[in-house]
Amino acid sequence: MTTGRATVLVETNKLETWNVEIADPEYGGALVRVVLGGVCGSDVHIKTGEAGIMPFPIILGHEGVGRIEKLGGLDTDYAGIPVKVGDLVCWSPIAACHRCHSCTVLEETPCENSQYFEHAEKPNWGSYADYAWLPRGLAFFKLPDGADPLAVAALGCALPTVLRGFERCGPVRMGETVVVQGAGPVGLSAVVLAAQAGAREVIVIDGVDRRLEVAKSLGATATVSLRDSLKERRRQIYELTGPAGPSLVVEAAGFLPAFPEGVDLAGIHSRYVVMGLWGAIGTQPISPRDLVTKNLTIVGASFPKPKHYHGAMQLAAQLQDKVPLASLISHRFAIEDAHLALDAVHKGEVIKAVIDPEL
Ligand SMILES: [Zn+2]
Ligand SMILES: [Zn+2]
């Protein structure tokens, strides 16, 4: 019997390394040896309980690149590309139910009964582990030949999330003036997409100089420090965009006061897409009249679909030699050191951390 190590969140704030049994794949599934397991900001919220109570014990990790170890009667991935043992793949980690109003009637996400985690003692697709067991229906995709696993892992679930957000609010158009609130992985993904789409200005707001430097390396045209006052930030941004203001504002800050600032910054006839506030529970005052007088569109988005994971993977592979994606991975941790990885992400010390089972 095969066993492998896994980081198990036994209960809120209690992590252990377990040796778990590794099952053969079911029909339609695959067993993957994890190459890189991405550490996501939401993993911190899951550990601390801010994201709600989970079906403990769970194996952490919803971002991953791995090598196929065994296939469950398949010879293609979920996009019809031939696959074999040894191929590099990534996967969409959210199991939709296909039996709810969103899934079936609207063909939309989020799904009311989506499953992010499986009990740690059952076959499991958590990626802080030696192996990920991908159940039937959990879409996985072969990396294009020559794709760098680091580049694909670098933006993790953030790039699919932003692709989902731009699907909801409409794509970035050539010549637009874009403001991105926050330079974590979601904000950096928005920078990459806006820059590649031909935005005239991509202005990023963050409080950490190093993250702003990284945003510039990915295509940001200007940066604004959170250390400046609200009024001063607005002045700098409007100086760059002109009096019409930003045509698209992206909330990727995960910090509640970003929301009224985003509404205030948004220009006339603009769009505001809110993606970062998933873990920020609370309310904020805004002036509803701004929505009317600016003709403002506000869109929330979460829960990327498999096609967004596929698109993100293809885009990362396509850009890996043009944009320094792989170098975003600033920290690697062993499976046993997952608690250190989560602490480092929580403290904002990292651009992107990964779990590397070979360490
Ligand atoms: Zn994530
Ligand atoms: Zn559903």
Side-chain angles (χ1 to χ4, degrees):
M1 182 185 53
T2 314
T3 62
R5 296 163 303 162
T7 301
V8 177
L9 187 63
V10 180
E11 57 187 69
T12 299
N13 284 322
K14 190 176 178 200
L15 287 174
E16 292 176 357
T17 306
W18 287 13
N19 227 17
V20 293
E21 281 180 31
I22 307 300
D24 279 340
E26 63 182 347
Y27 180 78
L31 179 66
V32 167
R33 184 173 267 275
V34 176
V35 174
L36 298 169
V39 180
C40 176
S42 51
D43 296 341
V44 176
H45 298 301
I46 290 164
K47 183 197 147 208
T48 58
E50 290 161 280
I53 297 300
M54 298 291 151
F56 299 125
I58 57 170
I59 298 178
L60 281 181
H62 57 268
E63 300 175 356
V65 175
R67 273 189 200 283
I68 294 176
E69 183 91 359
K70 287 180 183 171
L71 283 161
L74 298 174
D75 53 12
T76 67
D77 70 5
Y78 277 70
I81 302 296
V83 284
K84 58 184 186 315
V85 168
D87 283 344
L88 283 167
V89 295
C90 66
W91 55 93
S92 167
I94 312 161
C97 78
H98 306 293
R99 280 178 290 104
C100 73
H101 189 77
S102 297
C103 279
T104 308
V105 180
L106 302 176
E107 293 184 319
E108 268 298 351
T109 56
C111 154
E112 283 95 309
N113 308 308
S114 54
Q115 190 183 1
Y116 295 83
F117 297 106
E118 180 55 279
H119 192 283
E121 284 166 356
K122 292 191 184 157
N124 207 291
W125 58 96
S127 62
Y128 290 19
D130 282 314
Y131 294 93
W133 185 93
L134 310 182
R136 175 175 58 244
L138 200 83
F140 68 85
F141 303 108
K142 181 180 185 290
L143 268 56
D145 289 341
D148 179 354
L150 291 168
V152 173
L155 291 168
C157 72
L159 188 53
T161 296
V162 178
L163 287 172
R164 169 70 177 142
F166 287 162
E167 180 185 72
R168 296 263 300 126
C169 79
V172 182
R173 290 182 286 260
M174 185 92 78
E176 278 206 90
T177 50
V178 181
V179 169
V180 179
Q181 300 176 287
V186 175
L188 295 176
S189 297
V191 167
V192 169
L193 288 169
Q196 295 299 320
R200 175 164 65 84
E201 292 287 352
V202 183
I203 306 161
V204 183
I205 311 172
D206 199 282
V208 181
D209 291 342
R210 185 158 155 260
R211 304 204 320 175
L212 292 173
E213 286 304 312
V214 171
K216 277 193 169 168
S217 79
L218 300 178
T221 56
T223 59
V224 173
S225 173
L226 261 186
R227 288 190 298 271
D228 290 334
S229 70
L230 204 61
K231 201 173 157 198
E232 170 59 15
R233 297 200 289 270
R234 192 178 203 281
R235 190 197 65 74
Q236 289 176 37
I237 288 167
Y238 270 68
E239 195 170 284
L240 292 161
T241 61
S247 60
L248 175 61
V249 181
V250 178
E251 185 284 313
F255 177 60
L256 275 179
F259 182 67
E261 182 174 9
V263 171
D264 178 58
L265 286 174
I268 188 96
H269 311 299
S270 67
R271 297 172 287 161
Y272 185 26
V273 57
V274 179
M275 293 181 286
L277 294 176
W278 177 79
I281 297 164
T283 57
Q284 287 288 310
I286 60 162
S287 160
R289 185 169 177 270
D290 278 358
L291 277 59
V292 181
T293 56
K294 292 183 184 181
N295 206 16
L296 178 61
T297 303
I298 301 184
V299 170
S302 68
F303 201 119
K305 300 175 182 180
K307 67 175 177 179
H308 302 117
Y309 279 88
H310 180 262
M313 174 194 79
Q314 294 287 353
L315 187 68
Q318 184 191 332
L319 294 179
Q320 66 184 18
D321 298 325
K322 284 200 282 178
V323 177
L325 292 175
S327 66
L328 299 180
I329 295 182
S330 55
H331 292 66
R332 288 180 192 239
F333 295 91
I335 291 173
E336 290 83 354
D337 292 334
H339 59 290
L340 300 177
L342 292 170
D343 286 349
V345 170
H346 182 58
K347 287 184 194 142
E349 291 168 359
V350 310
I351 302 297
K352 182 69 184 182
V354 291
I355 301 294
D356 181 345
E358 293 217 331
L359 292 178

